Amino acid sequence: MSESFRERLRALPDFPEHLPEFDPAAAPADPAELFRQWLDAALEAGVAAPNAFSLATVDDEGWPSSRMLILKDIDDDGWHFATSRTSRKGLELQANPHAALNFYWPPQGRQVRVTGDVVELSAEASAADWHSRPGADGSDNPDWQLYAVRPREIEFWQASHDRRHIRHRVVPENLR
């Protein structure tokens, strides 16, 4: 008798043997600083593309879609990413300027989830981002847009072998 697909999936390991410790009480008050610490730890652990995240948006009828992008920066404007205004995600953000980002670092059993309002950053910042891309040829792309997610909620999630996963939810001060 062959194993079912479900049995095969259930037999896969969930998390690596050794997971990092995480005490939310000792976390920095600034969630961007905690994110930077976790990103550094992911880099030290050899995680490929730890700056990659899944961006979830919805269209004007409420249908969700997601895709992988690269984090460009975090500053007072928010969590930056870029795309063409005429792409599916660009059009979805125009119709519904809210999004969710999800970073996942399997070797550490960690996720960071960011949800919030999305704003367009300046034309100058967008042009600078376009020109700094690998393979940039000096041409302009007026459709290229640098966006920022202004967090309404950030959740840091640390896996635990006892299934008592640690969730550290942060709501920015200006939203409390």
Side-chain angles (χ1 to χ4, degrees), residues 102-123:
N102 191 49
F103 297 84
Y104 180 48
W105 302 311
Q108 296 161 303
R110 286 183 167 170
Q111 294 184 61
V112 178
R113 188 177 54 80
V114 181
T115 60
D117 303 320
V118 179
V119 296
E120 291 185 358
L121 298 180
S122 71

Side-chain angles (χ1 to χ4, degrees), residues 57-65 88 92:
T57 57
V58 296
D59 66 17
D60 55 357
E61 294 182 19
W63 289 99
S65 64
R88 178 177 177 175
E92 288 173 349

Side-chain angles (χ1 to χ4, degrees), residues 131-138:
H131 291 294
S132 69
R133 292 168 49 98
D137 63 3

Side-chain angles (χ1 to χ4, degrees), residues 13-17 19 104 106 108-110 157 159-161 163 165:
D14 292 329
F15 305 109
E17 182 179 345
L19 294 170
Y104 180 48
Q108 296 161 303
R110 286 183 167 170
W157 185 90
S160 177
H161 288 292
R163 296 290 191 208
H165 309 305

